[in-house]
Amino acid sequence: MTATPSRRAGGRAARKASRAAPLSDAMRPIRPGMEGGRYRPLTDTDMTNIHNSVLDALEQIGLADAPQSGVDYLTGAGAIQGDDGRIRFPRALIEDTIAKANREITLFGRDPKRDMNLAGAKVHYGTAGAAVHLVDIEGKNYRHCTLQDLHDAARISDVLDNIHFVQRPMVCRDITDNYEMDLNTLYGCTAGTTKHVGTSFTDPSYVKGALEMLHLIAGGEDKWRERPFVSNSNCFVVPPMKFATESCQVMEECIKGGMPILLLSAGMAGATTPSTIAGGIVQATAECMAGLVYVNAVKPGHTAIFGTWPFGLDLRTGAMTGASAEQALLSSGCAQMHKYYGLPGGAVGGIADAKLPDMQAGWEMMCSNVMAGLSGLNMVYEAAGMHASLLGFCLESLILGDDLIGHAMRCVRGIEVTEETMAVDQIRQVCIGGPGHYLGTDQTLARMESDYVYPALGNRMSPKEWDENGKPDLIANAIARKEQILSNRSAARFDPMVDAEIRRRFNIHLPA
Amino acid sequence: MTATPSRRAGGRAARKASRAAPLSDAMRPIRPGMEGGRYRPLTDTDMTNIHNSVLDALEQIGLADAPQSGVDYLTGAGAIQGDDGRIRFPRALIEDTIAKANREITLFGRDPKRDMNLAGAKVHYGTAGAAVHLVDIEGKNYRHCTLQDLHDAARISDVLDNIHFVQRPMVCRDITDNYEMDLNTLYGCTAGTTKHVGTSFTDPSYVKGALEMLHLIAGGEDKWRERPFVSNSNCFVVPPMKFATESCQVMEECIKGGMPILLLSAGMAGATTPSTIAGGIVQATAECMAGLVYVNAVKPGHTAIFGTWPFGLDLRTGAMTGASAEQALLSSGCAQMHKYYGLPGGAVGGIADAKLPDMQAGWEMMCSNVMAGLSGLNMVYEAAGMHASLLGFCLESLILGDDLIGHAMRCVRGIEVTEETMAVDQIRQVCIGGPGHYLGTDQTLARMESDYVYPALGNRMSPKEWDENGKPDLIANAIARKEQILSNRSAARFDPMVDAEIRRRFNIHLPA
């Protein structure tokens, strides 16, 4: 019989071995879905005032341009179409919708361990967007992005602990046919990760083919409907206060097919929303509320994420900026309104205006990511990899984003205050007749892994060690990590029979 | 008579001219001393529990190693020295001290426009530390730092809007005599900036000379005492729970000379404070509270900043880390305890572990800076320029830090919610019979400068513009800005007569 050394008896070697072993999920210092909400940019009065403004806007201004099917659904639910064609929403209809909407949302992964529950102030981070460039970091170059780039982004995200979902971050510009592009986008993402995937269909007629592919992947329509692992991002409004006719029709098809909906209102402060932060929040909230009425009119209780995505604008130039301080406030304020309603919601965080993953990118990405998390935003979209105000996606930045988001998540976890953590007894033991320091105490060792987050690529060496180690470069290390991930066989690949059947029915542009 | 075009009549050119004019202070989107406090990492119960633990620690454990003068002051105030030599603090003494301590603190600048009022949750950012290296960014090299480097840092800080005070960030390693080093440090900082300066004296006997120099600069002892523009950073404790004998003696001399005191408790979680965040906050708060009793025993109501500076440690290696998520929580939690007591306080934010101003530095510096600000920390020390966990200071990073802190400050300013900013009327006008967008509306133009913060070096170009402009490099631009600042004549220079007199009495190592 071999004696198993106990933790204490084994000394340094045993402690080292124990440290090298992966932590159980319960012990991990951070995990998806930690509760935020300690940052509240709005007072209670602010929230009530915003809510009342939202009700006013919906009742008095309403939304134009609903498709006829939408007009029928909405007026059937109690909305009123005016002579000007706008759909207006009585206050009681909004209050009813808030009360009845589904707030017990789980977004499923192909792997059930990767499901995300969006209750309360549980926070998740992931990719999103529709970048048209890949940032080629070695050439400092922006080039058209491809299906392969998208698939690589999904594969990389699949192995990064702190990327919790993969909404398609790039447009496949190497596919010219829109239907093939949408279907290959779906394939490229889902074949790369078993985490929840988000995508967006450009035409209502494309949804049928997409569902056919999803049924194949799931192993049947019933299995798909039981655990839909792909959601559709619907830009259902053209701000200010107009329905996006075609996107609404896509939405109706997705709802019928059992696909969760991200109700996405993407205004720009000073262009398509008021220039004030409060005005941006009011309008985005009003628009998403109209969308929520719509979804619940099509199918009561259908899974919908309240996607208030107002963006910032550089008012000097009229150009988009996704990285401003105003952006961080817009998203955090929206998150607090989601909590006010108790509705699962999402907004943007983590976008850089910087073209490359430099110091500017670091500060921009952290600011909105940590504030979104602290405000309890359920879904932080665009959280990693996104540069040039959404125009470029960078795989190395995605990898570094995993460290950045882990850092933010530790902040979201917050401060545990208990008798044990306040540690007066420990202070006493150390100070009075004790060693006069806390190094190596049981309490310190016990906290080393359960309480502290360590960066994977972030460098904590002293200048001396750093020099002796050849001054490791952050970007070079991110490139190496990317190459290592992409050289491995993906664990998310489909069963070969399923894959063959998909390829038989659809023109898949990725090599098998 | 030349007609002055009105804003509206003048069109684009007039608007452009009006945009180019500097904003009045009241109109500026950000300014020193904005109110934080919307981020509250601790619940009310947490704060009460921490306070009770602080009282327990002070009453039961107390502090060792007070100098005899300190023992006399403290026991005179009601503290009790035990047979073990430790000074223990009855609860009533602490509560009395909290009630009587000076909470109306203004830290003066040589220029009165740069005074800082530390009431409530007013937030200020500045440098600090005692880096032993200058980060030579062009050579990617850490070299010994000098008095000239320190003076350059002060001169650069003097012109950066978002650096509100200059606590000496570097040790002058080119001066071997400790007295000359302390006096030249004082000279190097104060000759470089008219903002409030912080320094630290290593020996009680040096204070006399320092005061002599300060009286010369101020134009007399009375003028110095009226508006003391330099504070002393006193590491008055050696955590855990021991007074730093010599530093306490320095503190007594500074108090007598009318110099504000930063009561600095700089423990390290897991080494000299408990490894838990709550434990670090308890111990730092207890230690600063003991310091506050001390200061008020020497001189009731003397200006003292509650300097809870617990640092993080990388428990895997035992090395210092100043940039962790745990650090951001330590400082934010401490800030909230300052608010609990209503005492002006300071802590660290903005330190990078990164050796260079890269993406890691950006995310590290932003995380703790923005959280400190949102938590309402009055004085955020080490907020810019600090790398390698305090070992290296970087002038280019200091310059970039001005953008970074401006970004954080806009977040601290928060969201104004009024009828006007919620803008329902504006939404109505734009949507119903209006242009369908907000570009160019009076409301949008009015907000462009009063509400939005624009980075100076942060780049918001589109990839196309960026490419056409030769892909401007963040670091290269920071180097150019540094050279431009240092090539200008400093506005902070002393009157030549005063300078000559200082140089006659002290061995100043900076060229005149």
Side-chain angles (χ1 to χ4, degrees):
Chain A
M1 189 183 136
T2 314
T4 311
S6 82
R7 201 176 207 213
R8 300 200 54 168
R12 194 147 180 271
R15 280 202 303 274
K16 248 184 133 163
S18 130
R19 277 175 230 170
L23 285 176
S24 71
D25 272 2
M27 277 282 287
R28 290 183 59 201
I30 49 173
R31 42 190 173 276
M34 285 180 320
E35 292 266 344
R38 306 287 320 149
Y39 168 52
R40 293 164 52 90
L42 303 170
T43 65
D44 289 347
T45 307
D46 290 341
M47 289 192 287
T48 306
N49 289 340
I50 288 173
H51 173 55
N52 285 325
S53 294
V54 167
L55 292 179
D56 285 348
L58 287 168
E59 190 174 53
Q60 298 162 18
I61 305 166
L63 279 79
D65 294 349
Q68 188 53 51
S69 55
V71 173
D72 296 343
Y73 280 122
L74 290 163
T75 55
I80 297 156
Q81 188 168 33
D83 293 342
D84 57 0
R86 301 184 78 89
I87 306 278
R88 293 182 172 80
F89 300 79
R91 299 170 104 84
L93 172 58
I94 299 301
E95 276 156 10
D96 263 20
T97 302
I98 295 168
K100 286 182 188 162
N102 187 355
R103 55 195 70 214
E104 284 301 322
I105 290 187
T106 295
L107 294 178
F108 299 101
R110 269 207 287 144
D111 177 350
K113 286 201 291 287
R114 294 170 153 199
D115 290 355
M116 296 180 289
N117 180 270
L118 309 193
K122 291 186 180 175
V123 178
H124 306 84
Y125 291 90
T127 61
V132 291
H133 297 287
L134 184 98
V135 184
D136 158 25
I137 203 167
E138 290 174 272
K140 289 201 183 186
N141 199 34
Y142 274 59
R143 65 156 171 81
H144 287 191
C145 46
T146 66
L147 172 61
Q148 184 66 51
D149 296 329
L150 176 69
H151 182 61
D152 288 349
R155 287 188 54 197
I156 291 168
S157 298
D158 191 60
V159 302
L160 299 177
D161 278 350
N162 303 320
I163 304 296
H164 304 139
F165 61 90
V166 182
Q167 188 154 311
R168 68 97 178 71
M170 280 176 277
V171 176
C172 306
R173 292 181 77 181
D174 52 342
I175 305 181
T176 48
D177 179 82
N178 283 343
Y179 177 68
E180 290 199 3
M181 187 176 79
D182 276 9
L183 274 282
N184 275 276
T185 297
L186 181 61
Y187 181 94
C189 290
T190 47
T193 183
T194 60
K195 296 179 181 178
H196 186 80
V197 161
T199 188
S200 188
F201 302 111
T202 46
D203 189 289
S205 69
Y206 299 172
V207 177
K208 187 166 171 287
L211 287 166
E212 188 185 329
M213 190 192 290
L214 290 167
H215 298 165
L216 281 173
I217 298 169
E221 179 172 354
D222 54 334
K223 293 211 170 117
W224 156 256
R225 285 186 176 269
E226 206 175 289
R227 296 180 45 84
F229 49 85
V230 173
S231 54
N232 191 61
S233 172
N234 262 101
C235 286
F236 73 102
V237 283
V238 181
M241 306 295 273
K242 291 194 296 286
F243 283 108
T245 316
E246 198 155 53
S247 178
C248 287
Q249 292 165 333
V250 171
M251 182 170 84
E252 293 178 18
E253 292 307 309
C254 290
I255 294 172
K256 290 172 197 161
M259 194 179 291
I261 296 297
L262 166 61
L263 282 167
L264 204 163
S265 154
M268 287 206 202
T272 57
T273 79
S275 60
T276 51
I277 294 166
I281 295 171
V282 165
Q283 189 185 302
T285 305
E287 288 166 346
C288 285
M289 203 56 93
L292 196 65
V293 174
Y294 197 151
V295 170
N296 281 277
V298 178
K299 188 175 163 198
H302 187 78
T303 296
I305 302 158
F306 205 83
T308 47
W309 290 32
F311 286 108
L313 201 69
D314 191 309
L315 288 178
R316 298 169 307 180
T317 59
M320 158 101 188
T321 149
S324 65
E326 297 82 18
Q327 179 67 68
L329 289 166
L330 280 166
S331 291
S332 303
C334 286
Q336 213 186 327
M337 289 310 295
H338 308 162
K339 302 311 115 200
Y340 177 81
Y341 295 121
L343 293 170
V348 299
I351 303 164
D353 289 340
K355 262 52 69 187
L356 298 171
D358 56 12
M359 179 169 160
Q360 178 190 347
W363 84 61
E364 292 175 334
M365 289 172 154
M366 178 55 90
C367 188
S368 51
N369 267 332
V370 75
M371 283 171 62
L374 293 174
S375 68
L377 183 62
N378 297 127
M379 297 283 281
V380 187
Y381 293 96
E382 323 259 26
M386 202 51 109
H387 289 263
S389 319
L390 302 185
L391 290 175
F393 192 82
C394 175
L395 299 174
E396 291 80 6
S397 178
L398 170 64
I399 288 169
L400 294 170
D402 189 53
D403 265 3
L404 186 155
I405 294 169
H407 194 121
M409 286 170 65
R410 179 63 186 90
C411 297
V412 172
R413 173 175 152 182
I415 304 173
E416 286 86 9
V417 180
T418 64
E419 285 302 314
E420 191 191 334
T421 60
M422 289 189 294
V424 175
D425 285 346
Q426 201 192 147
I427 300 174
R428 191 193 335 265
Q429 285 158 21
V430 160
C431 292
I432 301 186
H437 64 77
Y438 303 83
L439 286 166
T441 66
D442 284 351
Q443 292 97 326
T444 294
L445 291 172
R447 296 282 168 181
M448 187 173 68
E449 294 209 302
S450 63
D451 281 22
Y452 282 71
V453 171
Y454 305 100
L457 292 177
N459 186 300
R460 289 185 170 176
M461 291 174 181
S462 72
K464 184 165 174 290
E465 277 177 280
W466 178 71
D467 191 41
E468 287 165 0
N469 281 276
K471 303 183 182 174
D473 180 78
L474 189 70
I475 302 299
N477 285 342
I479 294 171
R481 174 94 171 102
K482 176 191 76 172
E483 285 168 359
Q484 183 243 316
I485 293 169
L486 294 178
S487 69
N488 289 339
R489 192 184 160 86
S490 165
R493 288 157 55 107
F494 302 135
D495 174 275
M497 300 281 283
V498 170
D499 196 55
E501 183 60 21
I502 293 172
R503 287 172 185 275
R504 202 182 59 76
R505 299 200 207 176
F506 304 95
N507 183 13
I508 299 302
H509 293 235
L510 267 184
Chain B
M1 189 182 136
T2 312
T4 309
S6 82
R7 202 179 210 216
R8 299 202 55 172
R12 193 145 180 273
R15 281 203 302 274
K16 249 184 131 165
S18 132
R19 278 176 229 170
L23 285 176
S24 72
D25 272 1
M27 277 282 288
R28 289 183 59 200
I30 48 173
R31 41 190 174 275
M34 284 181 318
E35 291 265 345
R38 305 287 320 149
Y39 168 51
R40 293 165 50 91
L42 303 170
T43 65
D44 290 347
T45 308
D46 289 343
M47 289 192 287
T48 307
N49 289 339
I50 288 173
H51 173 54
N52 285 326
S53 293
V54 166
L55 292 179
D56 285 348
L58 287 168
E59 188 173 56
Q60 299 163 18
I61 304 167
L63 278 78
D65 295 350
Q68 188 53 50
S69 55
V71 172
D72 296 341
Y73 280 122
L74 290 163
T75 54
I80 297 155
Q81 187 169 35
D83 294 341
D84 56 2
R86 301 185 77 89
I87 306 280
R88 292 183 174 81
F89 300 79
R91 298 170 106 82
L93 172 58
I94 299 301
E95 277 155 10
D96 262 20
T97 302
I98 295 168
K100 286 181 191 163
N102 187 353
R103 55 195 70 213
E104 285 300 321
I105 291 186
T106 295
L107 294 178
F108 300 101
R110 271 208 287 144
D111 177 350
K113 285 201 292 289
R114 294 172 152 195
D115 290 356
M116 295 180 289
N117 179 270
L118 309 193
K122 291 186 179 175
V123 178
H124 306 83
Y125 291 90
T127 61
V132 291
H133 298 287
L134 184 97
V135 184
D136 157 24
I137 203 168
E138 290 176 272
K140 289 200 183 187
N141 199 33
Y142 275 60
R143 67 157 172 79
H144 288 192
C145 45
T146 66
L147 172 60
Q148 184 66 51
D149 297 329
L150 176 68
H151 183 60
D152 289 349
R155 287 189 54 197
I156 291 168
S157 298
D158 192 59
V159 301
L160 299 177
D161 278 350
N162 303 319
I163 305 295
H164 305 139
F165 61 91
V166 182
Q167 188 154 309
R168 70 94 175 75
M170 281 176 277
V171 175
C172 305
R173 292 181 76 179
D174 52 340
I175 306 181
T176 47
D177 178 84
N178 283 342
Y179 178 68
E180 291 199 1
M181 186 175 78
D182 277 8
L183 274 280
N184 276 276
T185 297
L186 181 61
Y187 181 93
C189 289
T190 46
T193 184
T194 59
K195 296 179 182 180
H196 187 80
V197 162
T199 188
S200 188
F201 303 111
T202 46
D203 190 289
S205 68
Y206 300 170
V207 177
K208 188 166 170 289
L211 287 166
E212 188 185 331
M213 189 190 293
L214 290 168
H215 298 164
L216 282 172
I217 298 169
E221 180 172 354
D222 53 336
K223 293 214 171 113
W224 155 256
R225 285 185 176 270
E226 205 175 290
R227 297 180 44 84
F229 48 84
V230 173
S231 54
N232 190 60
S233 171
N234 263 101
C235 286
F236 73 101
V237 283
V238 181
M241 306 296 275
K242 292 194 296 282
F243 283 109
T245 316
E246 198 155 55
S247 178
C248 288
Q249 292 165 332
V250 172
M251 182 170 83
E252 293 177 19
E253 293 308 309
C254 289
I255 294 172
K256 290 172 198 160
M259 192 178 294
I261 295 297
L262 166 62
L263 282 168
L264 204 163
S265 154
M268 286 205 204
T272 56
T273 79
S275 60
T276 50
I277 295 166
I281 295 171
V282 165
Q283 189 185 302
T285 305
E287 288 166 347
C288 285
M289 204 55 92
L292 196 64
V293 175
Y294 198 150
V295 169
N296 281 278
V298 178
K299 187 174 164 200
H302 187 77
T303 296
I305 301 158
F306 206 82
T308 46
W309 290 32
F311 286 108
L313 201 70
D314 191 310
L315 289 179
R316 299 169 307 181
T317 59
M320 157 99 186
T321 150
S324 65
E326 297 81 20
Q327 179 68 67
L329 289 166
L330 279 166
S331 291
S332 303
C334 285
Q336 214 185 327
M337 290 309 297
H338 307 163
K339 301 312 115 199
Y340 178 81
Y341 295 121
L343 292 170
V348 299
I351 304 164
D353 289 339
K355 262 54 67 187
L356 298 171
D358 56 11
M359 178 168 162
Q360 179 191 346
W363 84 61
E364 292 175 334
M365 289 172 155
M366 177 54 90
C367 188
S368 51
N369 267 333
V370 75
M371 284 172 61
L374 294 175
S375 69
L377 183 63
N378 297 127
M379 296 283 283
V380 188
Y381 293 96
E382 324 257 25
M386 202 50 111
H387 288 263
S389 320
L390 304 185
L391 291 174
F393 192 81
C394 175
L395 299 174
E396 291 80 6
S397 178
L398 169 64
I399 289 169
L400 294 170
D402 189 52
D403 265 3
L404 186 156
I405 293 168
H407 193 123
M409 285 170 66
R410 178 63 186 89
C411 297
V412 172
R413 171 174 153 183
I415 304 173
E416 285 87 10
V417 180
T418 64
E419 285 301 315
E420 190 193 336
T421 60
M422 288 189 295
V424 174
D425 285 346
Q426 200 193 149
I427 300 175
R428 192 193 333 266
Q429 284 157 21
V430 161
C431 291
I432 301 186
H437 65 77
Y438 303 82
L439 286 166
T441 66
D442 283 351
Q443 293 97 328
T444 294
L445 291 173
R447 296 284 168 178
M448 188 175 66
E449 293 208 303
S450 63
D451 280 24
Y452 283 70
V453 172
Y454 305 101
L457 292 175
N459 185 299
R460 288 184 170 178
M461 292 174 181
S462 72
K464 184 166 174 291
E465 278 176 280
W466 177 72
D467 191 41
E468 286 165 1
N469 282 275
K471 302 183 182 175
D473 180 79
L474 189 71
I475 302 300
N477 285 341
I479 293 170
R481 174 95 171 103
K482 176 191 77 172
E483 286 167 359
Q484 182 243 317
I485 294 169
L486 295 178
S487 70
N488 289 339
R489 192 184 160 86
S490 167
R493 288 157 54 107
F494 301 136
D495 173 277
M497 300 281 283
V498 170
D499 196 57
E501 183 60 20
I502 293 172
R503 287 172 184 276
R504 203 182 58 76
R505 297 203 209 172
F506 304 95
N507 183 14
I508 298 301
H509 293 237
L510 267 184

